[in-house]
Amino acid sequence: MTESFDPGALRQWWPKPSNPRPIVIFGAGSIVGDAHLPAYRKAGFPVAGIYDPDHSKAAALADKWALRAFENEVDALSVPDAIFDLATPPAAHAAILGRLPVGAAALIQKPMGSDLAAATAILDICRTRKLKAAVNFQLRFAPMMLALKDAIAKGYLGEVVDFDAWLALATPWGLWPFLKGLPRIEIAMHSIHYLDLVRGLLGNPLGAHAKTIGHPNHEVAQTRTAAILDYGDRVRCVLSVNHDHDFGRKFQACEFRISGTSGAAYVKLGVNLDYPKGEPDELWIRPAGGSEWVSVPLEGAWFPDAFVNRMAHLQRFAAGEDHELIGSVEDAWQTMALVEAAYQSSAAPATAIAPLPGR
């Protein structure tokens, strides 16, 4: 199969909508300037404006991008045929969704609420108001991940039987002040991307074993996680995540290894290394029948290009050009259920080790 493997032919981009709708962004935090706006400008998607309860914050960001800062929420909600992009903290999602026009299209920043109960409430709102709503688990849409899924679909790995995620890096949690004091951080705000990606590749696991903890050098609730997803006796899935490996770049890592019965893939997620500046992403594939690892020439990066693909798909779904909404609130709820299972596992006592028998 080596001769037939063309790394440049793997899919990396989602088709663009024929007639993009205007985007109304709720929230003016760092992610909007770092990813949403660069992505939409790159794609040529029209942005109608930005609304944030802190108008001065919205105005500063809007001025930087030559956009409108809405004076009030009513004006933001009044844009006709808009795609509403909720780049807001999880506690704010439900209230905003409850005020969107019936039948509107919306992209909701992950996580889908602060816990599974909140996710269920959001799901109910979206169902009641008939919203075409997706959650922004955009890692599935990164060029490297679209290419990986395409390679798997074309049989270059055979049957996927191993998924390893290894992160040892230093994450600047201070960039997101709204996280301060939240009881759930690492899995709910970061590794949730990986859990969602795994679901997209392997389907829903039977359950999860996990332990997530903080670090004595700071007060962030959790920054270190070890997790095993149970896919039965055929597939092994393990995540080792350490955001406190703050000893210089030399031995830091942010990578996945995906092994199949006849081929394998390696992914480097560059944006997390020296975030938000980041490093280039990488995708390497050892195709079935091949004897060498082959580098896939990536045409974009997780940030901001996954946001381009994510929005392109939602736009196309809203216009009827795509018939299935990937990452819909119905699907995202299942990712939230997996997150909940991981936290419940972490809170449960471990299997006790038998004591040494007496003499």
Side-chain angles (χ1 to χ4, degrees), residues 77-88:
L77 293 171
S78 299
V79 176
D81 295 322
I83 303 287
F84 295 98
D85 186 3
L86 276 60
T88 46

Side-chain angles (χ1 to χ4, degrees), residues 17 19-21 23 45 83 311-319 321:
N19 296 291
R21 297 187 182 188
I23 300 169
F45 296 153
I83 303 287
M311 178 55 72
H313 173 49
L314 177 56
Q315 290 260 5
R316 286 176 57 86
F317 180 79
E321 295 177 294

Side-chain angles (χ1 to χ4, degrees), residues 149-174:
K149 188 158 188 177
D150 195 23
I152 293 171
K154 291 176 176 175
Y156 291 124
L157 275 63
E159 177 191 355
V160 174
V161 292
D162 282 289
F163 185 102
D164 289 281
W166 180 35
L167 281 75
L169 41 76
T171 297
W173 296 103

Side-chain angles (χ1 to χ4, degrees), residues 258-277:
I258 303 95
S259 302
T261 51
S262 53
Y266 168 88
V267 180
K268 171 186 167 184
L269 296 84
V271 71
N272 288 333
L273 299 164
D274 191 24
Y275 183 90
K277 180 182 177 182

